Amino acid sequence: MLRPPRMMMLEDALKKRLEGYVYSEDYFFVRYGFLGEKEFVETFPIMSHHIELFNVVLKYYGTSFEVDRLVITGETIYAFDIKNHSGQYCVDGETWTKNQKNIKSPTTQFDVLEKGMRQIIGSTDIPHRLVCKMIFINKTFTINKNIHGLVTYYEIHPMMQRIRNELPSGKYEHRIKNYFVNLSVPNTLNKQRPQFDIKQLNGGVTCLKCEGKIDMERGNSPTICPSCGSKLKKR
């Protein structure tokens, strides 16, 4: 299951409970990427008999890289690097531009991922085919030339349809899954912890919709938020 990064969840909680809290710059970077991953997973699900992992951080020869979505079928291992870029991009050699401004080329990160995955798979006896792709999930993204491994929004559906038609995963594929889980290392950015004084946090239970105070001392019946009238279960 895809879950919000811990660092993002912590800052969201601080924003609700600490007056004047300001999100870090990293928060917006992480959140934007997460929303792209969420869009890809929810819009293009896999078959229930296939396997998927999320945000798998791997290392090879001291270089770390993250696979945003790893799909394992009975035939293939798919490693997806998900991008949430929007707008029109032009590529000239190694230079990417948007609105006449140079940006960091996403292909650098993808090249590390693809090389790392091929190194890892090549060091095992896993017989599966390996496919690495950069998924640009935002519908508004366009680019002026074909880039190795790049898949735009309107190219995702036929690719996912081919994946759904592949052989189901079995016991061997579950061992492959466990291999990647055991190989994965913690994401240092997601473990980042903001500085705050816990004594300054607003206590109590708050409504999920309006963040108003909730009285939890009224038996087991559903709770009514006094601020917005929402009917909520204690859970």
Side-chain angles (χ1 to χ4, degrees):
M1 174 184 284
L2 177 65
R3 293 183 176 87
R6 290 177 64 186
M7 167 254 206
M8 180 179 147
M9 294 173 68
L10 177 58
E11 291 209 39
D12 280 338
L14 288 173
K15 184 68 174 177
K16 292 179 180 179
R17 294 182 177 275
L18 185 60
E19 293 182 11
Y21 181 78
V22 177
Y23 285 120
S24 69
E25 291 185 9
D26 286 336
Y27 171 87
F28 295 103
F29 171 77
V30 170
R31 182 177 183 274
Y32 195 65
F34 171 74
L35 291 178
E37 295 172 20
K38 187 170 182 283
E39 173 77 11
F40 182 37
V41 171
E42 293 180 350
T43 308
F44 301 99
I46 63 169
M47 299 296 286
S48 60
H49 55 237
H50 291 149
I51 297 169
E52 61 185 345
L53 295 170
F54 302 102
N55 306 122
V56 181
V57 181
L58 304 169
K59 278 190 176 182
Y60 80 99
Y61 294 111
T63 301
S64 63
F65 61 93
E66 183 172 9
V67 180
D68 295 322
R69 188 182 187 186
L70 185 72
V71 174
I72 305 171
T73 73
E75 305 173 42
T76 311
I77 296 172
Y78 293 90
F80 295 122
D81 183 17
I82 304 167
K83 306 296 184 186
N84 201 7
H85 294 50
S86 60
Q88 185 174 4
Y89 289 77
C90 292
V91 178
D92 183 9
E94 297 298 317
T95 304
W96 284 50
T97 59
K98 178 184 179 182
N99 299 329
Q100 299 182 334
K101 294 182 179 179
N102 291 353
I103 67 159
K104 183 179 179 181
S105 172
T107 58
T108 303
Q109 181 180 339
F110 175 72
D111 289 344
V112 172
L113 179 152
E114 185 173 39
K115 183 177 179 180
M117 286 297 297
R118 296 204 180 280
Q119 291 275 358
I120 290 171
I121 297 296
S123 67
T124 70
D125 58 357
I126 295 174
H128 290 52
R129 188 169 62 114
L130 174 66
V131 175
C132 301
K133 296 292 184 182
M134 276 189 298
I135 304 295
F136 282 76
I137 191 64
N138 197 301
K139 291 181 181 180
T140 68
F141 172 85
T142 60
I143 195 164
N144 67 324
K145 63 185 294 187
N146 292 328
I147 302 292
H148 168 68
L150 191 153
V151 180
T152 61
Y153 182 87
Y154 295 101
E155 296 170 323
I156 298 174
H157 178 73
M159 178 191 72
M160 295 303 293
Q161 193 59 47
R162 290 192 296 271
I163 294 174
R164 294 188 190 102
N165 290 332
E166 292 193 11
L167 293 174
S169 305
K171 291 181 179 179
Y172 184 75
E173 284 72 34
H174 279 278
R175 289 201 294 270
I176 295 175
K177 169 193 169 184
N178 293 335
Y179 171 75
F180 281 109
V181 169
N182 293 332
L183 203 63
S184 182
V185 297
N187 187 318
T188 54
L189 179 60
N190 291 351
K191 290 179 67 180
Q192 198 166 282
R193 184 179 176 86
Q195 296 296 316
F196 64 95
D197 184 350
I198 197 168
K199 294 179 181 178
Q200 296 178 351
L201 299 184
N202 295 324
V205 179
T206 57
C207 174
L208 293 173
K209 295 185 178 180
C210 75
E211 299 178 17
K213 289 283 186 179
I214 298 289
D215 180 5
M216 300 295 287
E217 302 297 329
R218 297 182 178 178
N220 296 320
S221 60
T223 298
I224 305 296
C225 174
S227 300
C228 69
S230 297
K231 191 175 182 179
L232 306 167
K233 292 183 180 179
K234 286 189 174 182
R235 184 173 179 86

